[in-house]
Amino acid sequence: MRLTADIWVSAYLTRLRLQDIPAFVVARGDATAGAVLVKLNTLDGKACCYQRGFDLMTGDRKWVVSVEGDEPLVDASIQKQRGFDADLWVIEVEDRQGRHLLDEPGLT
């Protein structure tokens, strides 16, 4: 059984908060089945956007970089994706060290 998007987002934000990593819901998507994008803002003008993908060899779900570079470029890409998918969640994580916790167990 898969978690709903809103429960996953809530759990993710809690994990980040416990590590003192600021994060915000920038766009709220469909509560049950909305896809989630995570924008990592390193507060130096650069950013990276992660989306959930599948490892075709193992069938495992994993987070992959969809776009990275200057923050305006990443923001434009996210806005374009939101134009195609109104159910899309966007979470912005702000961390100078580049921590996002997406590689931790339970978050894939």
Side-chain angles (χ1 to χ4, degrees):
M1 183 172 162
R2 288 183 29 188
L3 292 176
T4 61
D6 61 342
I7 291 174
W8 186 91
V9 167
S10 178
Y12 180 54
L13 293 174
T14 298
R15 282 205 188 177
L16 291 165
R17 187 174 54 251
L18 291 172
Q19 296 292 322
D20 293 323
I21 302 171
F24 313 91
V25 176
V26 176
R28 188 173 300 275
D30 182 76
T32 56
V36 178
L37 294 180
V38 175
K39 174 187 167 189
L40 174 61
N41 182 349
T42 52
L43 305 171
D44 61 356
K46 302 291 183 185
C48 183
C49 182
Y50 294 88
Q51 67 183 23
R52 224 179 272 175
F54 291 95
D55 182 330
L56 296 176
M57 297 299 287
T58 65
D60 293 336
R61 294 165 51 126
K62 63 180 185 173
W63 289 94
V64 295
V65 174
S66 63
V67 62
E68 64 184 323
D70 293 333
E71 187 177 8
L73 172 78
V74 173
D75 287 339
S77 175
I78 291 170
Q79 282 305 109
K80 186 174 182 180
Q81 290 183 56
R82 290 236 348 115
F84 296 126
D85 185 359
D87 294 333
L88 188 64
W89 289 78
V90 180
I91 309 302
E92 181 163 346
V93 177
E94 295 180 345
D95 188 68
R96 291 185 192 283
Q97 298 172 31
R99 299 174 296 164
H100 51 69
L101 308 183
L102 293 172
D103 49 357
E104 287 194 354
L107 292 175
T108 56

